[in-house]
Amino acid sequence: MIIEIDFNSQEAIYIQLRNQIVVAIAQDKLKEGQSLPSVRQMADNLGVNMHTVNKAYSILKQEGYLKLDRRKGAVISVEADKDAEMQALYDDMEMLVARAVCKGISREEMTLLVQNMYDNFEG
C-alpha cells in the first residue's frame, strides 16, 4: 500500500493518512488481520512527525478499523456495530446532501454518484 501525503493540502496530514487507510481497506488493498507499519516506521516513510501517525492510528482504532496488539502493532480489524455506523454515516451524509441541495444537485444525480462510488470500490 502506498500512502501519498499532500503537504500543500488544507486537509490535516493525520486526516489524509486516516482517509487513505480507510479507502485501502474498502478497496481490499488492506485486509483483516494485516499489520500496518509501526508508528515510527510510518512516520519515517512519510516524512512526518510520529505524533501525526499516532493520532491517525488512534482515530482509526476509535472508529473500529484498527486494533493495537502488543506483538503485531496496529492490525486491520474492521469491527461492525451496524446501528452506530449507520448513525455516523447519516450524520456525515446530512451535510453532503445539504450541500447538494444548495448547489442544485438532484436526488438522481446524488444517487448516481453514490452508485458509481460503490462500483469503484467493488471492482
Side-chain angles (χ1 to χ4, degrees):
M1 179 188 78
I2 297 174
I3 303 273
E4 294 182 6
I5 299 299
D6 179 357
F7 292 99
N8 295 317
S9 174
Q10 295 296 319
E11 188 170 54
I13 293 170
Y14 74 93
I15 296 293
Q16 291 181 53
L17 178 57
R18 175 233 175 239
N19 290 349
Q20 288 185 47
I21 290 171
V22 171
V23 168
I25 294 168
Q27 292 173 333
D28 213 25
K29 292 178 182 174
L30 287 173
K31 300 179 185 329
E32 183 84 20
Q34 186 174 346
S35 294
L36 291 177
S38 71
V39 169
R40 173 169 277 136
Q41 289 172 322
M42 182 71 84
D44 287 346
N45 292 345
L46 297 175
V48 300
N49 188 294
M50 285 180 18
H51 296 293
T52 301
V53 175
N54 193 48
K55 188 169 186 176
Y57 280 14
S58 294
I59 291 169
L60 288 162
K61 179 182 180 292
Q62 182 180 13
E63 293 176 340
Y65 294 102
L66 286 182
K67 284 188 179 177
L68 300 179
D69 183 292
R70 290 181 191 256
R71 294 168 287 152
K72 296 181 181 179
V75 178
I76 302 300
S77 176
V78 183
E79 298 174 358
D81 176 350
K82 192 168 182 177
D83 292 337
E85 192 60 30
M86 289 294 288
Q87 183 60 51
L89 288 170
Y90 180 90
D91 294 343
D92 291 345
M93 291 178 69
E94 184 175 37
M95 183 52 68
L96 294 175
V97 172
R99 286 176 50 196
V101 169
C102 289
K103 299 296 183 175
I105 297 169
S106 71
R107 177 187 307 250
E108 292 77 19
E109 289 169 316
M110 283 294 287
T111 300
L112 183 60
L113 184 65
V114 171
Q115 288 171 342
N116 288 338
M117 287 181 180
Y118 265 94
D119 290 344
N120 288 337
F121 282 111
E122 291 172 346

